[in-house]
Amino acid sequence: MDRTVEAIGNKGLLSKEELVERIGDGRVDTVIIAICDMQGRLMGKRVTGDFFLESVMAHGTHFCNYLLGTDMEMGTPAGYRHMNWNGGYGDWLARPAWETLRLIPWLDKTALVLADAVDEKTGESIEVAPRSVLKKQIERAEQAGYRLLMASELEFYLMKETYEAIHDNGYETMQAAGHYNEDYNLLQATRNEPVYHKLRTWMSQAGIPIESSKGEAWIGQHEVNIRYADALTSADRHVLFKHGAKEIGMGEGVSLTFMAKPDHRWTGSSGHIHISLWDREEKENRFYQEGVEPGNLSPIMGHFLAGVMKYTRDFSLCFAPNINSYKRFAPESWAPVHIVWSRDNRSAGFRIVGEKQSLRFENRITGADINPYLAYAAMIGAGLSGIEEKLDLSVEGKGNAYHAVDAPRIPGSLYEAIRCWEESEVVKKVFGEGVHYHYGHAAKLEQQAYDAVVTNWERARYFEQG
C-alpha cells in the first residue's frame, strides 16, 4: 500500500535524480531495463539498484543481438543478416530512454526504463529495432513540419486459469472469465472488477494514463483506452500496458491474452489506433479546416488518409503480423474486411471521429497482437507518402462497409500479406531495404513454421474420412 500511495504522488514517472535518491534510501532496489523485440514483447534485465548506478546508468547495458532475430518461441532461425552464427551473435547496447523511466506499482521496489537498441561502437540506432523504426518516421514527420498525436485502444480476453494451467492442458480448453457477452454490461464487468480496477489504477500510477475500461463483445472480453500522447510516448505506453497487464494477471492467478482470435467462435480482439496530425507546436490540428468539403476534412487529412488506405495492403504485416491475425477479419464481426473510410461507422476499416481540434481517424484494421512501434510507423509512413504524392481521398463509404463493392480488401492470410510486402516499393522506400528484408524474412519463417505442423483440425477432418 505504501508504494501505491508513493506512485500516485509521482504519477509513476521519475527523473534520473529521483531514481538516484530512491535507490539511495532503499525505496527502489531493482531497475528493469527493457527493449521491445520484433513480436512486441519486452526483453531485458533486472539490475540491482546499486549496480545500476555504478555501471548501467551512464552507459546502458549489453544484450545479445539475437533478441531482434528470434521467432515467437525464442528460436534462432537462419537467414537474418545482422544476427547469425557466422557473426557470432554479438552484443548490442540497450541505451536508456530516460523519458520512459517510471515506478512499477505492481512490483515491489521496482523501476523500469525502456531502452533504444544502438551499436556501441558507432552509437547509431539499430535500424531493425521496432523503436528505431518508429523514431525514423517521427523524424520524417518533424522534418516536414508535423507532429503526430496517437492513442491505442486494446481489447483482450481475461481467463480464469493461469498461463501455466492453460499450457499444461495443451490449450485445448480455456475458461473465459464470464458466462455471457459483457459488451458495456456493468453487471458482468463487476465480476472481474477486482482485476480491472488494478489495471486502471496501477497503470495510471505507472505513467500509463487509462481513460476507461469496458466490457467488449464476447464472454470474458474487455477493452481499455489509453490516453493519447505524441506517437513515441503512446507506443511506449502501449507496449508497457500489454506487458504489465499480463504481470498483474499473473499476480491475481488469472491470465490475459491479446491474441487476435483465441477461438474461431469468439469475437476477435482489436488494437485500434487513433491518429491526428499537428503543427510542430501542437497548437493546430492539421486534419481540420473549417468550411471545406467533405465535412471540414482538410486537404492534408485527405492526402494523409488516402496514403494510409492506398498502402494498407503493402504494410499489412505491421497491422496483422501473425498467422492468427487474419482469422479476425470476417463479415459482421466488428473487424473490417474492406479498406474504406466512413464517419463514425464501425464496419469501415477507417473511421472518422471527433470535430475541430479533436478531429482524427481510427484504424480499425489493427489487432491487439500488433507491435505498436511497427503499426504506428506504418501509418505515419504511409500517411506522409500520401501527402508527398498528393493522393486524392476516395469517396466516403456509406452504409454497411462489409458489403462494399469494388473496394480493396484487407489481405486474407499471412501468405497474401507476405506477397504484398515482398512486392512493395513503398515499404522499401519508407522503412529502408534492411527493415523490409528483416520483417519480410520473419513473416516467411512464421508461415513456414505453421505449414510444417499437423493440427487437431486436420486429424478430426481427415483421420477417418480422408
Side-chain angles (χ1 to χ4, degrees):
M1 181 63 68
D2 288 343
R3 73 174 186 272
T4 301
V5 172
E6 182 180 57
I8 291 173
N10 290 277
K11 300 186 183 301
L13 296 174
L14 295 175
S15 67
K16 288 194 288 186
E17 293 73 21
E18 288 172 324
L19 178 64
V20 171
E21 179 182 337
R22 289 167 188 266
I23 291 174
D25 63 23
R27 286 179 291 169
V28 169
D29 61 21
T30 300
V31 182
I32 298 171
I33 183 166
I35 63 164
C36 179
D37 74 357
M38 293 196 300
Q39 289 78 18
R41 303 171 294 189
L42 291 186
M43 299 288 161
K45 299 178 181 179
R46 283 179 164 86
V47 183
T48 61
D50 290 342
F51 186 76
F52 189 87
L53 296 183
E54 176 187 333
S55 299
V56 177
M57 193 166 191
H59 183 65
T61 190
H62 296 101
F63 70 95
C64 179
N65 66 17
Y66 96 98
L67 288 178
L68 293 175
T70 68
D71 58 21
M72 192 67 75
E73 296 179 329
M74 298 298 290
T76 53
Y80 286 110
R81 295 173 180 172
H82 301 283
M83 54 292 291
N84 52 61
W85 287 114
N86 287 334
Y89 284 109
D91 279 345
W92 281 331
L93 189 69
R95 185 172 62 197
W98 291 112
E99 71 276 11
T100 71
L101 180 64
R102 65 220 320 127
L103 294 173
I104 303 299
W106 56 90
L107 298 176
D108 192 42
K109 295 184 178 182
T110 298
L112 179 148
V113 65
L114 295 175
D116 288 309
V118 300
D119 184 303
E120 185 172 19
K121 293 180 180 178
T122 66
E124 294 181 359
S125 297
I126 302 302
E127 66 169 350
V128 299
R131 205 167 188 268
S132 300
V133 175
L134 175 55
K135 289 175 74 174
K136 179 180 177 181
Q137 296 310 306
I138 292 171
E139 290 168 4
R140 180 182 168 202
E142 290 178 345
Q143 289 171 2
Y146 304 122
R147 287 179 63 83
L148 284 303
L149 296 184
M150 303 181 73
S152 293
E153 299 174 350
L154 283 169
E155 297 169 3
F156 56 88
Y157 278 90
L158 179 66
M159 303 296 175
K160 291 184 178 180
E161 307 103 320
T162 65
Y163 289 116
E164 291 81 3
I166 294 172
H167 169 80
D168 292 345
N169 192 39
Y171 300 92
E172 287 297 317
T173 59
M174 298 176 289
Q175 188 176 6
H179 61 281
Y180 54 83
N181 184 327
E182 68 175 80
D183 198 14
Y184 289 95
N185 192 300
L186 291 174
L187 184 62
Q188 171 56 42
T190 297
R191 291 184 167 92
N192 300 309
E193 178 60 9
V195 175
Y196 298 143
H197 184 264
K198 288 184 173 68
L199 282 183
R200 293 193 308 272
T201 57
W202 280 349
M203 288 294 170
S204 294
Q205 291 163 14
I208 306 163
I210 303 301
E211 294 184 340
S212 64
S213 68
K214 60 172 281 291
E216 260 302 320
W218 200 255
I219 300 168
Q221 192 181 34
H222 218 70
E223 177 187 81
V224 165
N225 292 355
I226 305 172
R227 179 75 172 169
Y228 75 87
D230 65 272
L232 187 59
T233 298
S234 283
D236 290 338
R237 289 174 178 175
H238 180 131
V239 75
L240 286 164
F241 176 86
K242 284 182 68 173
H243 181 86
K246 293 176 184 179
E247 289 186 333
I248 291 171
M250 289 162 60
E252 297 297 306
V254 297
S255 56
L256 291 81
T257 180
F258 295 86
M259 187 176 178
K261 193 82 167 179
D263 188 292
H264 63 275
R265 297 164 293 186
W266 302 358
T267 302
S269 288
S270 301
H272 300 150
I273 299 172
H274 289 247
I275 186 169
S276 57
L277 190 73
W278 293 69
D279 62 357
R280 281 197 181 97
E281 290 73 34
E282 293 183 16
K283 293 181 179 179
E284 180 184 357
N285 183 355
R286 301 301 301 276
F287 278 179
Y288 175 76
Q289 186 171 334
E290 187 172 356
V292 301
E293 295 295 337
N296 299 322
L297 307 187
S298 71
I300 287 177
M301 182 176 186
H303 298 325
F304 191 96
L305 178 54
V308 175
M309 292 176 63
K310 178 178 179 179
Y311 297 122
T312 284
R313 287 176 56 84
D314 298 67
F315 284 102
S316 54
L317 288 184
C318 298
F319 300 150
N322 303 313
I323 294 283
N324 180 258
S325 306
Y326 295 85
K327 298 185 178 181
R328 176 174 151 264
F329 303 121
E332 281 79 43
S333 69
W334 300 104
V337 296
H338 288 116
I339 304 170
V340 299
W341 72 274
S342 188
R343 294 177 184 275
D344 197 16
N345 182 341
R346 287 182 168 86
S347 67
F350 297 95
R351 173 176 170 244
I352 306 295
V353 291
E355 296 179 357
K356 297 184 178 180
Q357 293 296 81
S358 68
L359 182 65
R360 62 197 186 277
F361 71 86
E362 174 190 41
N363 184 344
R364 297 183 58 79
I365 294 168
T366 43
D369 57 346
I370 56 171
N371 183 321
Y373 298 107
L374 301 180
Y376 279 31
M379 287 182 68
I380 296 169
L384 293 177
S385 295
I387 292 176
E388 292 168 359
E389 298 168 28
K390 292 183 169 54
L391 297 179
D392 293 327
L393 184 62
S394 59
V395 176
E396 178 182 2
K398 299 288 187 178
N400 187 347
Y402 290 113
H403 298 161
V405 178
D406 297 327
R409 290 182 66 95
I410 300 160
S413 67
L414 188 61
Y415 269 121
E416 187 178 354
I418 291 170
R419 186 170 66 251
C420 292
W421 182 275
E422 289 282 287
E423 296 174 355
S424 176
E425 291 301 319
V426 75
V427 174
K428 292 180 185 176
K429 179 182 177 182
V430 169
F431 281 172
E433 192 275 334
V435 173
H436 178 264
Y437 171 82
H438 191 82
Y439 286 95
H441 181 66
K444 286 185 283 187
L445 289 170
E446 190 72 5
Q447 185 68 63
Q448 291 166 11
Y450 176 80
D451 291 343
V453 174
V454 177
T455 66
N456 284 343
W457 183 90
E458 293 169 277
R459 281 188 284 269
R461 197 170 185 87
Y462 305 122
F463 186 83
E464 179 179 348
Q465 302 296 333

